């Protein structure tokens, strides 16, 4: 048997055993060559053979992917049970304990909410920052207060336009990260004691915002593949005086779900009928694995009811704390709230990102980032298949950098969190993603760091702990 045939058989076995699932990217030619000790031409020959067998297919400028008819080793997590009662939110102590766990640099950061800084062009950004600082007009201290740096807002508007969405610059407001944008949006449309429809499970930061603003949550189940349950949301809107809906429509954190475009349009129409504003948290929008970015729900908004919030923290500049909101009919109110609280986002950081977007090769960086995240997802899924119990259910998102795992029913993820931390491994336990602290047998894992031997050993250790319950 020739070397390329042997390598092709090894990859075929990974596909048949389910380690590489349908639609997943197989290792890149460079990665496979370096990891398996074969030449690039051997890898190409093996992949051509697998193509002829119908096991993989090539995507132009994206690599090779497992054909979608191949069997998946994992069942997807079960959609959460319906919850229609309003709930006071009190999760901060749990969240703070998880955040504390990732501060130690020796801890494997599977519980982190952030991708690794190693994946970002920080040196190139530093040059943009130095250039922006040298050229900054002192008058910008006044002229560029909210709504923000006009060059940056123009670049953001251009990216919306490339995605097929025409937005006036007047609708765009630069904020201190997406979290401030989301806070301002909620403050613009609610008062303490109001009810807000949120996802179940939901990103824990959204729960902390509700807790701080003394708002009540109404949980709406999320399907692991296509997002929030519109039937339950419709019933909730009929039964309760919902003042806002906070939703991640693409690569939802923690499940990774992405709503199909038709469903996003239905969501916007449903909320329009009830005149309930949608706060669309879309911070992972640039981290898609396919050929085309998913459209936001904002693309279907005809009445200015959708406040679309984005950020550069997950795709370009962690630590710069630059986000934005396309605020629709609420733009003026949100701008005034911004002026009443923090005045403006960092002017040098705004100018630096504007310079980078114009000259730094953002799209080239994004292509590299997406490829890296997709390969890291494949590595983590393969590790789960090797080390975790067979009944483990796992989401398989088409973007972002999180996996949601539903473990056997007897599992207590809060105990698992403590036991894993004692071994130098951080995870995010399910209860921090619910105001009622449900999802006790679920965890969220972050694959946003380059896969190393330490990552593999941590997954083996984690799987062993799970099996011990």
């Amino acid at each position: 048997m020739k070397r390329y045939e042997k390598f092709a058989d090894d990859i075929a076995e990974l596909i048949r055993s389910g380690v590489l699932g349908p639609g997943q990217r197989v290792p890149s030619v460079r990665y496979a060559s370096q990891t398996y000790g074969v030449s690039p031409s051997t890898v190409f020959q093996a992949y051509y053979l697998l193509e002829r067998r119908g096991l993989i297919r090539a995507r132009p400028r994206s690599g090779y992917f497992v054909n979608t008819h191949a069997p998946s080793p994992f069942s997807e997590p079960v959609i959460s049970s319906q919850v229609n009662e309003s709930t006071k939110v009190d999760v901060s102590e749990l969240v703070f304990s998880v955040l504390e766990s990732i501060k130690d640099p020796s801890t494997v950061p599977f519980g982190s909410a952030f991708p690794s800084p190693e994946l970002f062009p920080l040196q190139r950004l530093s040059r943009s920052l130095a250039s922006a600082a040298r050229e900054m007009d002192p008058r910008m201290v006044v002229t560029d207060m909210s709504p923000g740096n006009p060059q940056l807002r123009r670049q953001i508007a251009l990216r919306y336009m490339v995605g097929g969405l025409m937005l006036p610059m007047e609708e765009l407001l630069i904020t201190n990260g997406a979290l401030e944008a989301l806070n301002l949006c909620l403050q613009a449309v609610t008062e303490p004691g109001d009810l807000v429809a949120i996802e179940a499970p939901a990103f824990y930061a959204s729960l902390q915002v509700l807790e701080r603003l003394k708002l009540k949550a109404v949980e709406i189940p999320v399907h692991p593949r296509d997002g929030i349950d519109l039937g339950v949301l419709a019933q909730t809107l009929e039964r309760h005086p919902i003042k806002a809906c906070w939703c991640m429509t693409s690569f939802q954190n923690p499940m990774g779900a992405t709503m199909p475009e038709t469903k996003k349009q239905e969501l916007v129409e449903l909320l329009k009928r009830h005149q309930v504003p949608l706060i669309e948290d879309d911070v992972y929008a640039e981290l898609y694995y396919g050929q085309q970015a998913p459209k936001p729900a904002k693309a279907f908004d005809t009445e200015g009811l959708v406040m679309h919030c984005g950020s550069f923290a997950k795709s370009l500049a962690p630590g710069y704390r630059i986000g934005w909101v396309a605020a629709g009919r609420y733009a003026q109110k949100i701008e005034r709230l911004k002026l009443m609280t923090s005045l403006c986002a960092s002017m040098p950081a705004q100018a630096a990102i504007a310079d980078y977007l114009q000259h730094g090769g953002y799209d080239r960086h994004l292509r590299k980032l997406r490829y890296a995240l997709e390969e890291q997802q494949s590595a983590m899924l393969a590790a789960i298949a090797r080390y975790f119990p067979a009944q483990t259910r796992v989401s398989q998102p088409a973007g972002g950098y999180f996996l949601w795992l539903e473990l056997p029913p007897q599992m207590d993820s809060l105990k698992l969190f403590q036991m894993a931390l004692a071994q130098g491994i951080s995870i995010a336990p399910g209860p921090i993603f619910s105001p009622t602290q449900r999802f006790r047998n679920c965890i969220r894992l972050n694959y946003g760091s380059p896969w190393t031997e330490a990552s593999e050993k941590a997954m083996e250790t984690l799987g062993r702990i799970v099996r011990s319950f």
Side-chain angles (χ1 to χ4, degrees):
M1 183 181 289
K2 296 178 180 178
R3 292 193 75 184
Y4 79 88
E5 292 174 325
K6 172 67 168 64
F7 180 64
D9 282 351
D10 289 344
I11 297 295
E13 180 55 33
L14 292 176
I15 294 171
R16 278 191 291 270
S17 66
V19 173
L20 288 173
Q24 280 184 248
R25 190 169 185 247
V26 301
S28 67
V29 173
R30 178 189 294 180
Y31 180 86
S33 175
Q34 293 173 347
T35 304
Y36 295 97
V38 296
S39 68
S41 63
T42 297
V43 179
F44 273 120
Q45 283 181 294
Y47 286 175
Y48 295 153
L49 179 58
L50 291 168
E51 273 193 294
R52 291 196 295 272
R53 293 181 185 175
L55 291 175
I56 67 173
R57 69 188 190 284
R59 291 184 191 167
R61 294 179 294 182
S62 295
Y64 290 88
F65 294 78
V66 179
N67 267 332
T68 53
H69 58 68
S72 170
F74 304 113
S75 298
E76 62 188 16
V78 177
I79 188 169
S80 59
S81 57
Q82 180 172 332
V83 176
N84 270 329
E85 297 306 314
S86 62
T87 308
K88 181 183 176 183
V89 183
D90 184 11
V91 297
S92 283
E93 285 306 314
L94 271 177
V95 172
F96 291 144
S97 65
V98 173
L99 294 177
E100 190 67 29
S101 74
I102 62 174
K103 289 183 178 179
D104 185 345
S106 66
T107 299
V108 179
F110 292 155
S112 172
F114 309 101
S116 169
E118 297 173 41
L119 300 176
F120 298 99
L122 299 182
Q123 287 188 339
R124 177 62 183 82
L125 271 168
S126 294
R127 293 201 298 274
S128 287
L129 183 60
S131 173
R134 283 195 304 269
E135 298 174 9
M136 194 163 59
D137 186 333
R139 289 173 297 181
M140 290 169 59
V141 173
V142 176
T143 60
D144 285 8
M145 280 199 302
S146 297
N149 182 297
Q151 285 75 31
L152 178 57
R153 291 162 62 223
R154 187 174 294 111
Q155 289 296 322
I156 293 171
L158 285 171
R159 295 198 71 79
Y160 276 114
M161 185 181 71
V162 169
L165 181 55
M166 302 296 292
L167 285 178
M169 275 183 57
E170 293 74 19
E171 193 177 330
L172 291 169
L173 174 77
I174 306 300
T175 59
N176 293 304
L179 192 56
E180 184 185 41
L182 294 158
N183 267 274
L184 293 171
C185 290
L186 264 184
Q187 291 176 63
V189 296
T190 64
E191 299 288 344
D194 283 347
L195 273 59
V196 177
I198 64 165
E199 297 160 316
F203 179 38
Y204 55 71
S206 68
L207 303 180
Q208 289 183 295
V209 172
L210 267 62
E211 182 178 339
R212 185 180 67 80
L213 296 178
K214 295 181 170 51
L215 300 167
K216 293 182 179 178
V218 181
E219 295 180 281
I220 311 296
V222 171
H223 188 281
R225 229 178 317 111
D226 60 9
I228 196 166
D229 188 319
L230 294 185
V232 176
L233 178 60
Q235 294 172 13
T236 301
L237 292 168
E238 293 289 344
R239 296 174 182 172
H240 296 285
I242 301 295
K243 297 297 184 180
C245 177
W246 181 331
C247 186
M248 281 187 171
T249 58
S250 296
F251 318 126
Q252 191 258 4
N253 181 0
M255 270 202 166
T258 296
M259 299 176 71
E261 284 186 12
T262 53
K263 192 170 178 181
K264 289 176 181 175
Q265 188 169 9
E266 290 172 17
L267 171 65
V268 173
E269 290 298 319
L270 172 63
L271 294 173
K272 184 171 75 171
R273 288 197 296 273
H274 292 269
Q275 287 296 293
V276 171
L278 172 63
I279 300 169
E280 185 177 18
D281 185 351
D282 204 15
V283 295
Y284 308 104
E286 297 281 17
L287 305 184
Y288 57 92
Y289 301 157
Q291 291 298 298
Q292 194 169 358
K295 280 186 178 180
K298 180 72 175 175
F300 306 102
D301 181 26
T302 58
E303 295 195 358
L305 270 173
V306 179
M307 294 170 272
H308 184 258
C309 301
S311 170
F312 293 104
K314 310 299 191 295
S315 61
L316 176 64
Y320 280 52
R321 303 305 304 153
I322 296 298
W324 73 89
V325 55
R329 67 169 72 168
Y330 305 101
Q332 185 183 64
K333 187 169 186 180
I334 289 174
E335 181 180 347
R336 289 177 176 177
L337 284 168
K338 169 75 175 164
L339 288 167
M340 290 165 63
T341 51
S342 60
L343 286 180
C344 65
S346 165
M347 291 176 184
Q350 290 185 65
I353 292 179
D355 178 84
Y356 181 88
L357 293 179
Q358 191 168 2
H359 305 295
Y362 186 38
D363 286 301
R364 184 171 61 250
H365 154 68
L366 286 173
R367 284 193 294 272
K368 290 173 61 179
L369 176 60
R370 292 175 196 133
Y371 295 159
L373 291 176
E374 193 168 15
E375 285 200 343
Q376 289 159 204
Q377 186 197 80
S378 295
M380 181 170 275
L381 286 168
I384 293 168
R386 280 193 291 273
Y387 304 126
F388 280 62
Q391 61 267 51
T392 301
R393 294 173 174 266
V394 187
S395 65
Q396 295 185 57
Y401 48 90
F402 296 118
L403 294 179
W404 179 256
L405 280 66
E406 184 183 324
L407 302 170
Q410 72 273 16
M411 178 59 56
D412 184 335
S413 62
L414 293 174
K415 288 183 180 177
L416 177 62
F417 167 72
Q418 296 294 342
M419 294 172 73
L421 196 57
Q423 299 295 319
I425 306 164
S426 170
I427 64 170
I432 69 171
F433 300 99
S434 167
T436 51
Q437 298 186 18
R438 297 184 298 137
F439 309 109
R440 197 103 182 164
N441 66 320
C442 297
I443 60 174
R444 188 199 69 185
L445 297 181
N446 178 327
Y447 56 85
S449 295
W451 201 257
T452 64
E453 186 179 348
S455 310
E456 188 73 22
K457 286 182 178 178
M459 289 298 290
E460 184 178 8
T461 301
L462 201 53
R464 187 169 63 250
I465 297 172
V466 170
R467 289 176 181 275
S468 72
F469 272 76

